[in-house]
Structures are given as C-alpha cells and as structure tokens.
Amino acid sequence: AAPKWNSTNGADGFQDGTMVAALALAFSPNVASDKVMVAVTTDNSLVLFQIYSLSTKKWNVDAGFADYPAEIEYEAANSIDNAANATIALSPDYLGSDDSLRIAFVSISTSGANTAEAGIYRMKDTSDKMLTDDKDVFSLAFDGSNLVAGEWGGNKVWYSDNPLASDPDFSTTSTYKRPAGVDRVTVAWKGSDVVAGTRGKAASFSISRDNGKSFNGVSFIDTYSGNLGTMLDVEVSGDGKVIYMLCNTGDALT
C-alpha cells in the first residue's frame, strides 16, 4: 500500500570508491529463499560484480560472500569510460547461499566505441571468463542450457548452446531471419521459445522456436505510417503465459 525505497549503496561492504555508475541489477531467481540480488558497477576502468544480502542488508564480504566484489573487466586509462549498458542473466538455479550455483552471464556495451572491452562474460562465482569480445550487447537471456544475446547497435542475435563449456561456440542469426527493426534488441525466454523486441523502422515482436537460430515477426509490427512508437522493453511472466511490452509513441506509453 505504501512502497518504500531503500538506498543500498551506503550499506557495509559496497565497493563505492571511484564507482560512477550502476549499469545493471538482478534479483536471484531464488530470492524467496536466498534473499540475494547482484549488481554490475563501473568506474570507467574497472567493472565489478557485486552481491547484496537482503537479510543482513550488507554487500559482498561484509555479507559473508568471500572474495566479493568480483572483477569482471579492467582496462587502464579509462578505456571503458563510455560503457553505456550492462545486462545480467542469472542461471535459473542460481543460489546465493551455494558458491557452486552462482552462475551468471554479464554483457557490457560500450555503445559503438572501444568495442574491444564490450562483450559477454561468464561468472562462476568470482571467476570470470570473457566468452565473446567486439560485440556491443544490449540484452542477454539464459534458460539454463542456451544463451541468447541481442545487439545494441543493430538487429543481430547471437546464440550459444554450450555457454558453460570451457570454450563456448557462438553463432549469429542469419541476416534474413533476424528480428525486424533497427537496433536495441531485447531478448527473453518464454518457455522453450525466445521472444525479441526491437527499436526503429519495421520493428516488431518476434519469436524464435529454435533457440535463436531464426526469428519470425508475429505482432506489434511497426510500419512507417503506424503509430506503435518505440518498443522500450519486454517482460515475460514467471509462468511464461503473459508477455508485457512497453511502447512509447512520443506522447503516450502503451
């Protein structure tokens, strides 16, 4: 009835220092039991993965998470100073209380410049591995076996059926089977299907029934004379039965 916002960046254990931005936040899929959320922060050279306990109201080591915050990426001389976006995709069985189940994927987008630092990283607890580079990723989604990623500056979708392997394979959806639209591809899992929304001319709501290998536009197809506006975000209910889409026509949200 009266929601209350709580600031956590002043809580014990938060790595603040020279941090200038919090790029992403995600609750554990098992937050009801482990009471955990994670965040990606940056200070233009260092990108950190931080973990917060909703029970103790503390971060990282102070909350009992050894060796946190974990370093995702470090590039000297402020070479990540244009980091514009990050996305966190936690494994469906992610459990903050079990370090062996703390599997997460993180994407960093540098918005078209310094793309050597942009890409997809895998976190196994505090151990990180860059899976792809030179890719400005706007969104990530992981179903426990397959990982899909939507592009920031185009309509590419990358997919991998072995993202947990020591050397994962990544492929790109063919040019003619990508989600229609210009850029900012938002991807999410709806059961065994991947759904995607894009921005720009001819943008549409698309579905892939083969784990990201091909997409078909099925609804919300934005024509040049249409008034659908810009697709901003997509969210799927926990049971996969309801899909919510946020659009902006310039003077109204629909």
Side-chain angles (χ1 to χ4, degrees):
K4 179 183 177 182
W5 289 99
N6 296 281
S7 176
T8 66
N9 62 299
D12 293 345
F14 183 71
Q15 179 61 46
D16 193 357
T18 57
M19 294 290 113
V20 299
L23 298 176
L25 176 72
F27 287 99
S28 164
N30 295 295
V31 66
S33 60
D34 65 10
K35 308 293 186 183
V36 157
M37 70 177 185
V38 294
V40 173
T41 61
T42 179
D43 71 350
N44 296 335
S45 291
L46 178 65
V47 182
L48 294 177
F49 191 73
Q50 307 203 46
I51 186 169
Y52 180 76
S53 168
L54 297 165
S55 297
T56 66
K57 295 180 171 55
K58 296 180 180 180
W59 287 90
N60 303 316
V61 172
D62 286 40
F65 300 106
D67 301 320
Y68 278 89
E71 180 180 311
I72 299 174
E73 178 66 38
Y74 176 78
E75 295 289 340
N78 289 347
S79 57
I80 313 179
D81 61 1
N82 63 337
N85 181 68
T87 302
I88 302 169
L90 299 178
S91 176
D93 61 357
Y94 185 97
L95 194 62
S97 57
D98 187 339
D99 56 8
S100 68
L101 294 177
R102 294 181 200 149
I103 306 296
F105 295 90
V106 175
S107 70
I108 298 173
S109 172
T110 51
S111 190
N114 291 338
T115 55
E117 287 77 44
I120 302 172
Y121 299 77
R122 183 182 64 211
M123 305 293 298
K124 289 186 174 181
D125 194 20
T126 60
S127 177
D128 77 301
K129 177 180 177 62
M130 176 178 266
L131 303 185
T132 68
D133 59 5
D134 294 317
K135 291 178 174 60
D136 266 325
V137 174
F138 184 66
S139 66
L140 278 180
F142 179 57
D143 70 349
S145 299
N146 301 279
L147 182 69
V148 289
E151 188 179 20
W152 173 285
N155 66 339
K156 292 179 182 176
V157 173
W158 295 282
Y159 59 91
S160 174
D161 62 3
N162 61 345
L164 295 174
S166 57
D167 186 19
D169 300 308
F170 274 87
S171 301
T172 307
T173 304
S174 65
T175 302
Y176 301 108
K177 297 301 289 182
R178 297 173 186 170
V182 176
D183 60 10
R184 310 289 176 90
V185 182
T186 300
V187 292
W189 287 95
K190 180 185 181 298
S192 60
D193 299 330
V194 182
V195 294
T198 53
R199 188 181 77 158
K201 294 178 180 178
S204 70
F205 181 74
S206 303
I207 293 181
S208 170
R209 304 190 189 282
D210 53 11
N211 300 329
K213 297 180 181 66
S214 62
F215 285 83
N216 292 102
V218 295
S219 63
F220 289 109
I221 299 173
D222 194 11
T223 64
Y224 293 109
S225 59
N227 60 359
L228 180 60
T230 300
M231 292 185 184
L232 300 178
D233 202 359
V234 62
E235 186 68 31
V236 182
S237 65
D239 60 10
K241 294 181 179 179
V242 182
I243 304 169
Y244 300 93
M245 182 75 74
L246 179 65
C247 300
N248 186 353
T249 65
D251 60 3
L253 293 175
T254 55

